[in-house]
Amino acid sequence: EVQLVETGGGLVQPGRSLKLSCVASGFTFSSYWMYWIRQAPGKGLEWVSSINTDGGSTYYPDSVKGRFTISRDNAENTVYLQMNSLRSEDTATYYCAKGKDYFDYWGQGVMVTVSS
Amino acid sequence: DIVLTQSPALAVSLGQRATISCRASQSVSISRYNLMHWYQQKPGQQPKLLIYRASNLASGIPARFSGSGSGTDFTLTINPVQADDIATYYCQQSRESPNTFGAGTKLELK
């Protein structure tokens, strides 16, 4: 059974940093691209980042480029999202997901609140 | 960015057909691949993949869900609607980066 478990969320002040982790199981982690997708309270879904199988290629939308960094450890079956210079508009539930050009499994999500 | 437009809500009766549409601001098809996907999200839960590449049923999804379309116009059909299908449905395109989602269609009971 595929499982994706996110941790690391919480309340953080604007301008500070936070690092999310997502531990994967139930599939060959090193064979899949991994993604982070977020959802602001009461709002829709926004893709945040992608990483290829060996971690050599990463992608971001303009809204987080230069502030967020995705990485992975294939030995630990874990994908990370380092979030720096956080803003109030980054407040959301953050999901990790696996897939190809679509997202076939999602974690349960972790809440990040950016507020003073 | 490719903008995906969905109606905000759709009211249906149990046992009837629900048709949810998604219109893209430009084509999301490449040769025979239609790079539009559909997700279901219930309150407090993570999204679940229903349909990938416009018409392919994801693993474990009941056959009452189906998808169609190409180019800029896509449809998710639920027939017949069951009580467990009350949720918000999102389309997503992977034709161009950034991947984008529609704003979601909330399926409600009539």
Side-chain angles (χ1 to χ4, degrees):
Chain A
E1 179 194 4
V2 172
Q3 287 198 337
L4 299 167
V5 180
E6 304 98 333
T7 57
L11 174 64
V12 61
Q13 293 179 328
R16 304 298 291 264
S17 299
L18 203 61
K19 187 173 185 176
L20 306 182
S21 301
C22 170
V23 177
S25 61
F27 64 101
T28 304
F29 180 75
S30 58
S31 297
Y32 287 86
W33 285 54
M34 295 297 295
Y35 305 86
W36 288 95
I37 298 146
R38 68 183 180 185
Q39 186 171 36
K43 302 296 185 182
L45 300 164
E46 180 188 17
W47 164 72
V48 170
S49 61
S50 306
I51 188 166
N52 71 342
T53 55
D54 66 7
S57 297
T58 58
Y59 304 88
Y60 310 90
D62 289 345
S63 57
V64 307
K65 195 176 293 181
R67 299 189 299 124
F68 289 13
T69 302
I70 188 173
S71 61
R72 67 189 294 160
D73 183 339
N74 285 345
E76 296 293 329
N77 287 358
T78 303
V79 60
Y80 304 97
L81 185 68
Q82 176 69 46
M83 304 184 292
N84 298 333
S85 303
L86 282 162
R87 307 167 179 167
S88 58
E89 55 263 38
D90 296 319
T91 294
T93 296
Y94 285 73
Y95 298 99
C96 75
K98 69 174 276 289
K100 300 176 181 178
D101 50 323
Y102 50 88
F103 312 116
D104 57 359
Y105 288 93
W106 300 58
Q108 84 287 352
V110 63
M111 184 69 200
V112 173
T113 302
V114 184
S115 175
S116 54
Chain B
D1 297 3
I2 296 178
V3 176
L4 303 181
T5 301
Q6 297 183 247
S7 298
L10 176 67
V12 294
S13 301
L14 293 179
Q16 299 302 304
R17 176 194 306 259
T19 302
I20 297 171
S21 64
C22 178
R23 173 163 287 177
S25 59
Q26 61 191 79
S27 176
V28 299
S29 300
I30 303 177
S31 64
R32 62 188 176 95
Y33 294 105
N34 299 301
L35 300 178
M36 183 68 78
H37 323 290
W38 291 95
Y39 303 86
Q40 175 195 68
Q41 187 178 33
K42 298 179 181 178
Q45 295 186 17
Q46 69 268 55
K48 178 195 296 186
L49 177 69
L50 297 176
I51 301 286
Y52 63 95
R53 296 177 189 163
S55 59
N56 298 279
L57 198 63
S59 175
I61 302 303
R64 64 179 183 275
F65 291 90
S66 63
S68 63
S70 64
T72 60
D73 291 299
F74 295 86
T75 300
L76 172 70
T77 301
I78 312 170
N79 188 30
V81 170
Q82 298 186 0
D84 188 52
D85 302 333
I86 300 306
T88 299
Y89 293 85
Y90 294 93
C91 54
Q92 174 241 331
Q93 65 81 25
S94 57
R95 171 63 179 84
E96 273 188 11
S97 185
N99 284 280
T100 49
F101 291 87
T105 297
K106 189 172 184 180
L107 189 65
E108 301 169 331
L109 284 179
K110 193 179 288 184

